[in-house]
């Protein structure tokens, strides 16, 4: 009887510069063969809605890396913090972190992550996961202390829920890992299917 041929293993590439996404995958027992920063323009279009922006970014990241990497499975994601139709920036300065926190103080907001999975010879599969988060009313001291700790820089909406900002959250409805940067349940489902 001839031996069954096994199909070749396609390497998984994480198209992300985010150490949080790699850590979340590792937490789920997945270590990508490589991590490649997509290097795309992430500027939102004028009046672009948060959901459409997240989806466009995730797909663009997956496409950019898939073109360079050839025969690989490419996983990309983009996380957006939104107040209504407004996309909050990835805060790059203390002033931006402070501005985001003042906007989020005492209010509910949405964290959306779009996931895109590019497989060789197949159409890119996508999924969007939404989590609702509410911050307590933040005092000037709360904001100043959080800005001073520095962890809000480089984060969508100016905060990292997995750090000191968790103490500012009074309500969360949905995936916690989504707010960190990659919804694990849905990502594992896409990778397994």
């Amino acid at each position: 009887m001839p031996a069954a041929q096994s199909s070749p293993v396609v390497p998984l590439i994480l198209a992300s510069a985010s150490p949080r996404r790699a850590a979340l995958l590792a937490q789920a027992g997945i270590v990508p063969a490589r991590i490649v920063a997509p290097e795309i323009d992430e500027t939102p279009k004028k009046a672009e809605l948060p959901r459409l922006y997240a989806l466009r970014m995730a797909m663009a990241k997956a496409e950019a890396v898939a073109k360079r990497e050839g025969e690989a499975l490419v996983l990309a994601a983009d996380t957006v913090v939104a107040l209504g139709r407004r996309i909050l920036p990835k805060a790059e300065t203390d002033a931006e972190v402070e501005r985001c926190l003042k906007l989020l103080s005492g209010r509910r907001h949405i964290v959306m992550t779009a996931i895109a999975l590019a497989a060789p010879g197949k159409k890119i599969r996508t999924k969007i996961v939404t989590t609702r988060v509410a911050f307590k009313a933040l005092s000037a001291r709360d904001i100043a202390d959080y800005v001073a700790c520095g962890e809000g820089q480089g984060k969508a909406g100016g905060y990292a829920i997995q750090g000191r900002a968790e103490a500012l959250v009074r309500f969360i409805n949905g995936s916690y890992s989504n707010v960190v940067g990659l919804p694990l349940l849905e990502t594992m489902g896409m990778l397994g299917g």
Side-chain angles (χ1 to χ4, degrees):
M1 197 166 184
Q5 287 197 333
S6 62
S7 54
V9 176
V10 178
L12 175 66
I13 295 173
L14 177 60
S16 177
S18 167
R20 293 167 302 285
R21 290 197 180 109
L24 284 165
L25 281 176
Q27 184 179 312
I30 295 177
V31 178
R34 281 189 310 291
I35 298 173
V36 179
E39 297 177 24
I40 61 166
D41 179 7
E42 296 190 37
T43 308
K45 293 179 179 175
K46 186 172 173 59
E48 188 170 27
L49 294 176
R51 181 181 182 85
L52 296 177
Y53 170 75
L55 189 58
R56 179 173 68 85
M57 288 296 97
M59 289 183 70
K61 289 174 183 180
E63 287 168 352
V65 173
K67 279 181 190 168
R68 295 195 312 245
E69 295 296 327
E71 293 297 307
L73 197 59
V74 177
L75 175 67
D78 192 74
T79 301
V80 172
V81 175
L83 265 174
R85 298 165 64 97
R86 181 180 187 170
I87 298 169
L88 295 188
K90 187 183 284 186
E92 298 300 339
T93 65
D94 285 352
E96 283 185 333
V97 172
E98 181 180 357
R99 205 166 24 256
C100 287
L101 293 177
K102 284 179 177 177
L103 287 169
L104 296 172
S105 176
R107 298 174 74 181
R108 287 188 183 199
H109 61 278
I110 302 280
V111 180
M112 272 178 256
T113 300
I115 311 162
L117 187 63
K122 294 184 180 173
K123 185 178 175 209
I124 294 178
R125 291 176 30 215
T126 60
K127 183 176 251 342
I128 296 180
V129 179
T130 300
T131 303
R132 287 169 177 37
V133 180
F135 274 18
K136 70 175 190 168
L138 303 175
S139 68
R141 175 76 184 258
D142 290 331
I143 293 171
D145 287 350
Y146 191 75
V147 169
C149 85
E151 74 179 19
Q153 287 192 19
K155 311 293 190 308
Y159 75 93
I161 197 169
Q162 70 276 20
R164 290 172 76 175
E166 190 168 358
L168 308 177
V169 173
R170 68 173 175 79
F171 169 90
I172 181 169
N173 182 359
S175 168
Y176 176 84
S177 61
N178 178 45
V179 184
V180 178
L182 189 67
L184 285 179
L185 176 70
E186 294 78 3
T187 300
M188 297 304 287
M190 287 179 79
L191 290 171

